[in-house]
Amino acid sequence: MGVKEIITVISVLLLLFPSTVKPRAVGGAQPAGSAQSAGGAQGGAQGGAPGGRGGGTLDVVAQFGATADEKTDLSQPLLNAWKEACASPAPSKIVIPAGTFLLSRAVLEGPCKGPVDIQVQGTIKAPPDPSHFKDDIWVMFNHIEGFTMSGGGIFDGQGALAWSKNDCHKNKKCTLFPINIRFNFLTNAYIHDITTKDSKQFNVNVLGCKNITFEHFTVTNPEHSLNTDGIHIGRSDGVTILHSEIKTGDDCVSLGDGSKNVVVNGISCGPGHGISIGSLGKFQGEEPVAGIKIVNCTITNTMNGVRIKSWPASYPGTASDMHFEDITMDNVSNPIIIDQQYCPWNQCDLKNPSRIKLSNISFKNIRGTAAGKEAVKLFCSAGFPCEGVELSDIDLTYTGPDGPAISQCSNVSPKLSGKQNPPICAAPATTSPGGQAGPAKASPGSEASPGTTA
């Protein structure tokens, strides 16, 4: 057979049996023009790209060139791995192995073609200097269905420098520092056995999610770290937080407007500011809060226990079906509090009452010790008094030098049953809790500008 005949045969064979395997370049780089090629490290990874490899495990070190040396940026390898996983219709797992990684920023976008699981086994650190960031985003997951994250790893915001620069208590136009992890518009998500620590601002922000669960989730921030809520929820339906430990400088769990069907069960909270619904009414167009259950929690050495708060002179709104049950208080300054005169640092108008209507609220089987004399404070709006408030089996003791625990009430006539220690609403309110709750939050997501911040 001559040379021409051999070439002809080879050409025919190539046409009949084309190769479907695309070689990966060293370090995870993709061929030019491939749907897998990633944008810049400061950009986001757009999901749903074609060319998925059929799922499987994707190791950011072994396959994408990441280095656990606390110097090399993890952003590009992580984004490349995310694009490949998100493009696959079969389930995919991204592994961030043991070691300590530097991550400048990551925005991981959906929708994805199949479920994606991220296994964080190592520690991921943010740049410590807040001036590195142009906005309040460090790690963000957007528009994903069927997302899971676990592995025992840590997201370390390295926030000490940011806390020293936080002036939101006196500056209404203060800089918003990055949140450790944002979950935006996720559906059917499960996050467990993950730690977030030393966030520059909120540790976790949940916005626009449906059916998202946190379990065995740990938050660790020092008590002096300002505006570092553990998990903040806004405009989400079906959020569950189970068997988790939260230590921080602000609310352990905070629920902004539009929070619906939220269950917090088995949380250890403290130090911090307790578990709060609100603050509500500061912004126009806030959505109703409804269907909240806070049960079987222990709150220790906090500024507040369980709290509902709304601003005076507020925009109108509603919050209903909020239930607190089987809560243990240990040296908590304000164990039970409804504060519709929430006015930290006098940044509001106390002359006009809150227009947030609170209804169908219960506090049941709440016991333990108070750090202050006023163990129960029910300060409802003079314009829209609370309705359907029930207290049952309350036993809160105070052993300070100024006498036993007392309660204060205004604009509410609660239904009482079981033990009532202190006697509930035995005397009218003589003081307002306004201004006692700490600095005002420039809350990202639902609380600061409802429905706009992602």
Side-chain angles (χ1 to χ4, degrees), residues 162-177 224-227 250 273 282 311 342-348 435 437-442:
W163 308 329
S164 68
K165 295 183 177 182
N166 189 322
D167 62 349
C168 292
H169 61 286
K170 59 183 179 181
N171 179 10
K172 292 183 179 181
K173 297 182 180 180
C174 61
T175 300
L176 295 180
F177 296 125
H224 66 269
S225 58
L226 296 177
N227 206 28
D250 212 296
H273 292 182
K282 188 174 183 180
W311 292 80
Y342 178 70
C343 187
W345 300 95
N346 296 316
Q347 295 182 358
C348 54
K441 296 178 189 176

Side-chain angles (χ1 to χ4, degrees), residues 51-345:
R53 295 170 181 253
T57 299
L58 305 171
D59 188 309
V60 297
V61 172
Q63 296 166 263
F64 293 89
T67 304
D69 60 2
E70 299 188 51
K71 297 178 181 179
T72 305
D73 192 356
L74 176 62
S75 293
Q76 199 65 59
L78 177 59
L79 294 178
N80 289 344
W82 176 263
K83 284 190 172 185
E84 185 165 319
C86 192
S88 170
S92 299
K93 179 188 293 185
I94 297 172
V95 176
I96 301 173
T100 302
F101 299 84
L102 173 68
L103 176 66
S104 63
R105 190 177 191 266
V107 177
L108 306 179
E109 293 275 4
C112 295
K113 291 186 175 181
V116 179
D117 173 35
I118 295 184
Q119 291 279 317
V120 182
Q121 299 168 2
T123 296
I124 302 173
K125 288 188 173 184
D129 189 347
S131 65
H132 167 87
F133 297 88
K134 297 179 180 179
D135 53 28
D136 57 358
I137 298 169
W138 179 36
V139 178
M140 182 163 68
F141 300 92
N142 280 339
H143 299 97
I144 309 163
E145 183 170 359
F147 173 76
T148 58
M149 184 165 66
S150 61
I154 300 170
F155 289 84
D156 183 353
Q158 300 203 88
L161 183 59
W163 308 329
S164 68
K165 295 183 177 182
N166 189 322
D167 62 349
C168 292
H169 61 286
K170 59 183 179 181
N171 179 10
K172 292 183 179 181
K173 297 182 180 180
C174 61
T175 300
L176 295 180
F177 296 125
I179 291 170
N180 264 14
I181 313 173
R182 287 178 175 269
F183 298 102
N184 295 342
F185 309 104
L186 270 57
T187 302
N188 300 326
Y190 181 40
I191 294 91
H192 65 99
D193 297 289
I194 288 291
T195 294
T196 166
K197 62 174 292 189
D198 293 344
S199 182
K200 295 175 176 66
Q201 201 195 163
F202 288 9
N203 281 272
V204 171
N205 194 66
V206 178
L207 176 65
C209 293
K210 185 173 183 179
N211 299 328
I212 180 171
T213 296
F214 298 85
E215 187 169 15
H216 301 299
F217 192 83
T218 302
V219 175
T220 304
N221 261 63
E223 188 173 8
H224 66 269
S225 58
L226 296 177
N227 206 28
T228 55
D229 289 29
I231 300 175
H232 178 75
I233 301 164
R235 302 208 168 185
S236 296
D237 189 342
V239 180
T240 303
I241 305 171
L242 303 172
H243 315 303
S244 298
E245 182 177 11
I246 302 176
K247 300 177 179 180
T248 190
D250 212 296
D251 293 331
C252 294
V253 179
S254 58
L255 290 80
D257 81 289
S259 297
K260 298 177 181 178
N261 302 311
V262 176
V263 175
V264 178
N265 188 341
I267 302 302
S268 172
C269 165
H273 292 182
I275 299 173
S276 295
I277 298 173
S279 56
L280 302 174
K282 188 174 183 180
F283 300 99
Q284 190 171 13
E286 292 185 0
E287 296 182 1
V289 172
I292 311 301
K293 295 182 179 179
I294 313 296
V295 298
N296 191 32
C297 296
T298 300
I299 302 177
T300 305
N301 295 327
T302 57
M303 183 178 291
N304 304 290
V306 290
R307 173 173 58 158
I308 303 169
K309 52 181 176 173
S310 71
W311 292 80
S314 70
Y315 290 98
T318 64
S320 61
D321 297 311
M322 299 169 286
H323 306 287
F324 307 87
E325 188 169 350
D326 297 327
I327 311 291
T328 299
M329 305 286 180
D330 183 2
N331 194 42
V332 174
S333 295
N334 300 291
I336 298 174
I337 180 168
I338 295 176
D339 182 5
Q340 292 204 261
Q341 300 174 2
Y342 178 70
C343 187
W345 300 95

